[in-house]
Amino acid sequence: MEQNLFVYNTLTRTKEQFKPLNAPHVGMYVCGPTVYSDAHMGNARTYISFDLIFRYLSHLGFKVRYVRNITDAGHLEGDADEGEDKVSKKAKLEKLEPMEIVQRYTVGFHDVMKQLNNLPPSIEPTATGHIIEQIELVKEILKSGLAYEVNGSVYFDVEHYNQQQKYGVLSGRNLEDMLNNTRNLGGQEEKRGKLDFALWIKAKPEHLMKWPSPWGVGFPGWHLECSAMSNKYLGHKFDIHGGGIDLVPTHHTNEIAQNMASCGENPATYWVHTNMLTVNGQKMSKSLGNSFLPHELFSGDNKILNKGYSPMTVRFFMLQAHYRSTLDFGNEAMEASEKGFKRLMNAYGLIDGLKASPTNETDIAALKQRCYDAMNDDFNSPVLIAELFEASRIINSVHDGKLKIDADNLDLLQKLMKEFINDVLGLQSEIAANDDLPKVMDMVVNLRREAKANSDYATSDKIRNGLQAIGFQLKDSKEGTTWNKM
């Protein structure tokens, strides 16, 4: 399947034409959440970005197997090889079983993803469900001579590996710089080198989540989990590996090393990374007091928020920035996105009521091609949205009788709006879930029409102004009255 889709590859630092290994099939692996707390806004941005990529590839006709894991064990504090397991620590604090913590936050994560209209992945494997595969992968790396066992733990030998392959190929950093900038950590005496990382960690007696292995009772290293699960469901080599940009220096670098050691393959052709979310120019963090959770953004229940914003407004806000650019949150930016989203969806609501003309004054085919050009340029959603606002201008002009459009172009315009707004961007009307609202609004519009017919303009204006006050706009034309949520 030939496509002029270009994707920025972190590995090569260039945009490359997308050529799947086994078209029309595409394999995509995205590192999922560690389910010990609520999903944060950075998670939301990453998964909206990959939902956009998943949707667009599917729209182009590719058969995408999208694998996004759940990390429910092995992710230690500080993303290091020492310290407590994040899930276990939360379980101890709340006096619960670790799997109760996992269940609670997995359900919460899925709820947020559904509210943001993210499609579920094709496969969502868990780390604890793939312990056997991880043990087998450790065995393969030991056989390669690039790992060593000490006291029940198994470590990856980074300096030995770097003699055969460049360890920092993804980050662009050389080993000497990394060694100079890495401080000694607790437990370092077991390791041969400062950059060596754990594949399997011996469990202390108090550790809650542990499994038997050839090296003793323990648990897998965080980096190992993703290698094992991507190998199982996508093979040793697949098309796209994604995640947040913060995963590049260590997690994804170590995944590449593990795969190269076990099967001689860099696992992905294209490495795709989303950039950070900031708040008023600062990195979002709890310590700075500027962080908030998705449900707080939806409700407005946070001191840095002026008010709450709908999940679709949040999705629109995030898609207005390119996934590789830093996205800065601020109340003014959110309010502008809210207005922009309503303007776009108001036009979308008019599309089915437009009337075709025998003559035509616009070129929808060229507009449609510009929409594809935007998405084919590394999934450039902000440029696509700008083109959709041009489509909205055309819709409003046709609706107001200022522009003529023939049947063929009208059909093309209707398809363009529905395909790119719903299928690709994943945006939907906020009233779509309320099946009864259109019936109620039609009744109110009819009451107003009857009032006007009876020259009761006071009641007619009262209905119009009352609807406007609660966020509904009426538009009168020769064909009748239509309504939209503002």
Side-chain angles (χ1 to χ4, degrees):
M1 182 182 296
E2 281 297 317
Q3 293 293 342
N4 292 318
L5 169 61
F6 284 79
V7 179
Y8 183 85
N9 191 349
T10 306
L11 190 66
T12 60
R13 290 156 190 80
T14 58
K15 288 181 189 176
E16 300 176 4
Q17 187 169 7
F18 183 63
K19 294 181 178 178
L21 295 167
N22 186 29
H25 299 280
V26 171
M28 180 168 76
Y29 187 92
V30 175
C31 292
T34 301
V35 283
Y36 72 102
S37 64
D38 290 309
H40 56 73
M41 291 307 302
N43 291 143
R45 190 198 183 184
T46 293
Y47 302 129
I48 286 173
S49 298
F50 284 101
D51 184 64
L52 173 75
I53 292 171
F54 181 32
R55 285 172 176 274
Y56 188 61
L57 291 173
S58 300
H59 175 74
L60 292 179
F62 291 111
K63 299 181 187 303
V64 187
R65 178 178 287 177
Y66 174 17
V67 182
R68 186 186 66 208
N69 72 294
I70 293 287
T71 297
D72 54 357
H75 194 169
L76 305 186
E77 294 175 293
D79 300 345
D81 294 337
E82 287 289 312
E84 211 169 343
D85 180 288
K86 293 182 177 184
V87 172
S88 293
K89 182 176 181 179
K90 191 64 173 275
K92 288 176 184 176
L93 285 171
E94 299 202 14
K95 295 182 171 56
L96 296 171
E97 281 288 331
M99 282 299 125
E100 288 183 89
I101 297 297
V102 167
Q103 179 71 6
R104 177 198 300 172
Y105 292 112
T106 300
V107 169
F109 171 70
H110 288 156
D111 285 346
V112 170
M113 293 299 102
K114 189 173 181 181
Q115 285 179 285
L116 292 168
N117 201 31
N118 280 353
L119 297 172
S122 315
I123 302 173
E124 194 172 50
T126 63
T128 56
H130 296 78
I131 298 297
I132 292 171
E133 289 84 353
Q134 292 168 72
I135 289 172
E136 291 303 311
L137 185 54
V138 175
K139 289 179 184 177
E140 290 300 314
I141 299 172
L142 281 166
K143 277 186 203 173
S144 74
L146 293 171
Y148 54 93
E149 187 261 330
V150 182
N151 232 5
S153 293
V154 182
Y155 297 100
F156 191 95
D157 191 333
V158 170
E159 290 180 60
H160 186 189
Y161 170 82
N162 195 66
Q163 293 169 7
Q164 303 172 20
Q165 305 286 339
K166 186 182 177 186
Y167 175 64
V169 65
L170 189 65
S171 65
R173 299 168 67 199
N174 64 53
L175 190 71
E176 187 176 335
D177 289 342
M178 285 188 268
L179 286 167
N180 290 337
N181 291 321
T182 301
R183 61 190 177 89
N184 286 316
L185 300 171
Q188 195 72 44
E189 64 279 355
E190 281 194 351
K191 299 180 183 181
R192 293 177 184 170
K194 286 198 293 185
L195 292 174
D196 293 358
F197 58 91
L199 301 172
W200 186 265
I201 304 169
K202 181 181 180 180
K204 295 175 181 176
E206 66 273 16
H207 197 91
L208 295 179
M209 304 174 80
K210 50 198 172 188
W211 294 265
S213 80
W215 315 285
V217 175
F219 55 94
W222 173 41
H223 314 301
L224 184 77
E225 298 172 355
C226 285
S227 288
M229 289 183 278
S230 64
N231 284 351
K232 181 176 177 69
Y233 296 108
L234 298 174
H236 293 151
K237 187 78 174 180
F238 50 92
D239 299 298
I240 298 172
H241 196 314
I245 197 169
D246 56 312
L247 299 180
V248 171
T250 305
H251 186 54
H252 286 170
T253 289
N254 290 348
E255 278 192 65
I256 290 174
Q258 289 166 165
N259 265 60
M260 292 296 296
S262 61
C263 62
E265 290 270 21
N266 183 319
T269 307
Y270 306 91
W271 286 82
V272 178
H273 294 94
T274 58
N275 213 322
M276 289 190 304
L277 183 67
T278 58
V279 180
N280 298 319
Q282 289 184 302
K283 184 178 178 181
M284 181 182 281
S285 74
K286 288 181 182 177
S287 60
L288 291 172
N290 67 353
S291 67
F292 48 87
L293 298 170
H295 69 83
E296 293 173 328
L297 183 52
F298 302 155
S299 67
D301 187 19
N302 187 294
K303 64 182 179 182
I304 68 171
L305 300 168
N306 288 344
K307 65 173 193 173
Y309 299 92
S310 72
M312 282 299 98
T313 297
V314 173
R315 185 180 179 95
F316 181 75
F317 165 70
M318 292 192 174
L319 292 171
Q320 279 189 296
H322 191 268
Y323 76 89
R324 284 194 292 113
S325 65
T326 302
L327 175 60
D328 189 51
F329 172 89
N331 282 293
E332 287 183 11
M334 283 302 304
E335 286 170 18
S337 287
E338 185 176 57
K339 290 176 183 174
F341 174 66
K342 287 178 178 177
R343 186 156 54 95
L344 182 65
M345 297 312 290
N346 282 346
Y348 180 84
L350 297 173
I351 190 76
D352 288 331
L354 296 184
K355 303 295 182 184
S357 167
T359 56
N360 185 66
E361 299 173 343
T362 187
D363 184 357
I364 303 301
L367 175 60
K368 182 178 180 179
Q369 187 55 54
R370 293 199 301 274
C371 290
Y372 277 107
D373 289 345
M375 287 302 291
N376 286 337
D377 181 17
D378 193 30
F379 312 105
N380 201 324
S381 57
V383 173
L384 169 61
I385 288 170
E387 297 295 350
L388 292 174
F389 275 123
E390 171 60 17
S392 298
R393 184 195 65 77
I394 293 169
I395 289 167
N396 287 322
S397 295
V398 172
H399 180 269
D400 295 340
K402 298 174 183 176
L403 190 69
K404 297 186 188 308
I405 189 168
D406 63 21
D408 288 344
N409 275 284
L410 177 56
D411 181 60
L412 200 59
L413 181 60
Q414 288 170 333
K415 288 178 179 174
L416 179 153
M417 289 294 279
K418 290 175 182 178
E419 288 176 357
F420 280 98
I421 289 178
N422 295 148
D423 298 348
V424 174
L425 292 177
L427 297 170
Q428 59 185 4
S429 169
E430 291 166 342
I431 62 172
N434 190 340
D435 293 335
D436 293 329
L437 184 59
K439 298 174 189 174
V440 173
M441 286 299 297
D442 287 344
M443 184 183 73
V444 174
V445 168
N446 286 336
L447 288 172
R448 178 173 172 270
R449 188 178 66 246
E450 289 172 10
K452 286 177 73 177
N454 294 327
S455 300
D456 184 0
Y457 299 113
T459 299
S460 169
D461 290 345
K462 189 175 182 180
I463 291 172
R464 172 191 283 276
N465 294 338
L467 288 172
Q468 190 162 357
I470 60 171
F472 291 90
Q473 182 182 50
L474 299 182
K475 276 196 173 186
D476 296 318
S477 68
K478 288 182 287 185
E479 284 76 26
T481 302
T482 56
W483 62 271
N484 287 288
K485 192 172 190 310
M486 293 187 293

